Amino acid sequence: MKEQVQQAIDKIRPMLQADGGDVELVDFQDGVVKVKLKGACAGCPMSQMTLRNGIERVLKQQLPDVVKSVVPA
């Protein structure tokens, strides 16, 4: 399952990198994805919106039976 989550994150990564940011998968356990926002995303005041409305939404769409939530590590 962790590989599937990583593959989904890899699809999201180019969008974040285009704005100077990045995301790293830290852990996946019991449906909870822990990620670390990097680059411009790490200090951005909109990072929580990116996490919830961007990363979490996409992961839940791609892996609805796997991902419950996405949280910062």
Side-chain angles (χ1 to χ4, degrees):
M1 288 295 158
K2 193 171 182 176
E3 279 185 35
Q4 290 177 314
V5 173
Q6 181 63 55
Q7 289 174 355
I9 286 176
D10 288 343
K11 291 178 184 176
I12 299 166
R13 181 171 278 126
M15 290 178 277
L16 296 173
Q17 289 174 336
D19 288 330
D22 204 352
V23 62
E24 174 185 338
L25 175 63
V26 174
D27 194 20
F28 174 72
Q29 191 171 24
D30 299 325
V32 178
V33 178
K34 291 183 182 178
V35 296
K36 180 177 182 181
L37 295 174
K38 300 165 73 174
C41 290
C44 178
M46 300 298 287
S47 64
Q48 287 302 312
M49 183 181 285
T50 298
L51 188 66
R52 297 280 183 236
N53 296 336
I55 298 169
E56 182 174 89
R57 183 180 53 81
V58 171
L59 290 180
K60 283 183 173 181
Q61 285 176 347
Q62 292 185 15
L63 305 166
D65 296 331
V66 177
V67 175
K68 294 178 186 174
S69 65
V70 177
V71 297

